[in-house]
Amino acid sequence: MQVPAVRPESSAALPDAPREDAPSAITIRTLSKWRREGVRFACLTCYDATTARWLERAGVPVLLVGDTAAEVILGHPATIHAPLEFMITLTAAVKRGAPSRFVMADMPFLSYGAEDAEGIRNAGRFLVEGSADAVKLECDRSHAALVTLMSRAGIPVVAHVGSRPQHARRRGGYWAAGRSAESARELLDDARALEDAGATTLLIEAAPAEVAEAIVERSSVPVIGCGAGPACHGQVVVLQDLLGLTDWQPAFAAPAARLGESIANAARSWIDRVGRGDLGSHPYLMSDADREAFRRSLGR
Ligand code: KIV
């Protein structure tokens, strides 16, 4: 069988026209409907088009282009290193890979919060250049005014409350939120204030299950948990944790696969094939006439 000389375009690029078998689009209305109907939905972080395509095929409805990209893609020690342009580029890639999925884009450290106008424009770039369905901001009630301004501009905001990794330096490390009665009340107040300000979705990271449950009971928007217990409508974990690609995973993100080992095995097999010169059939052929002319040009 003749092997194609170049990668077929359709395997790398994605079709522009909607396919007949295309999965239906997930929107904020879908998430709100699921919330009302008690449907639990899965969310995974995703940072590239190829993986997004597989996650869409698997039926994962919500993808988060998290600033954890700084750690798992760029190899930085913390999420504050995620560059804005890079995050917008990744968001667009994920949406191209999974056009029907609800794609949330993480606004990186200091892309909001310094100047309101700058934050609103940056959020707009995620929607326009990144084709995001919503932006996620790590916030507390002090960001309520900004969330209102963004909402007024037409930007759907996911308010990420609880543990906020972008604040780890200020706190001297990562922390779980809402573990004392006082901080549990503060977390409830943050969630309330941000929802009242116009947030279309809440995301709670690292909080006791009963505190998240109280937020879910008191809210009227979808609530996504990340280590916040089973009451949340949606659940998100970092994909690399679930795939067994990271060396450590939090208890709520136990690996469902061992892809790290699979990658290492595939790489070892390639090392072996290269050593043996076993490269498969060679696809780039010359015609007999050209081969003969080439041979003569070499004086053979
Ligand atoms: O950046 C991220 O991946 C996140 C999730 C862990 C919630 O914010």
Side-chain angles (χ1 to χ4, degrees), residues 92-179:
V94 167
K95 192 66 184 185
R96 279 194 294 273
S100 73
R101 306 294 89 177
F102 190 83
V103 174
M104 308 188 299
D106 233 345
M107 291 199 65
F109 183 57
L110 286 194
S111 65
Y112 62 100
E115 301 277 354
D116 284 352
E118 185 189 28
I120 296 163
R121 284 199 191 93
N122 286 338
R125 290 189 63 195
F126 277 101
L127 264 58
V128 176
E129 296 169 44
S131 303
D133 296 293
V135 294
K136 176 166 88 59
L137 269 62
E138 292 187 11
C139 48
D140 59 24
R141 75 203 85 143
S142 71
H143 295 86
L146 176 61
V147 171
T148 299
L149 290 173
M150 287 188 176
S151 306
R152 194 191 294 162
I155 297 163
V157 175
V158 179
H160 172 153
V161 296
S163 179
R164 290 182 288 149
Q166 290 177 10
H167 281 241
R169 289 272 170 88
R170 189 176 68 83
R171 303 277 304 228
Y174 297 102
W175 77 101
R179 294 180 77 182

Side-chain angles (χ1 to χ4, degrees), residues 161-163 175-179 183-184 187-188 203-213 215 225-230 232 252:
V161 296
S163 179
W175 77 101
R179 294 180 77 182
S183 86
L187 191 45
L188 254 66
L203 187 148
I204 311 170
E205 178 165 350
E210 51 272 58
V211 181
E213 191 179 348
I215 293 175
C226 178
C232 300
F252 56 85

Side-chain angles (χ1 to χ4, degrees), residues 45 47 64 66-68 79 106 136 138 160 203 205 226 236 238:
T45 65
Y47 316 95
L64 167 64
D67 58 2
T68 40
T79 60
D106 233 345
K136 176 166 88 59
E138 292 187 11
H160 172 153
L203 187 148
E205 178 165 350
C226 178
V236 62
V238 172

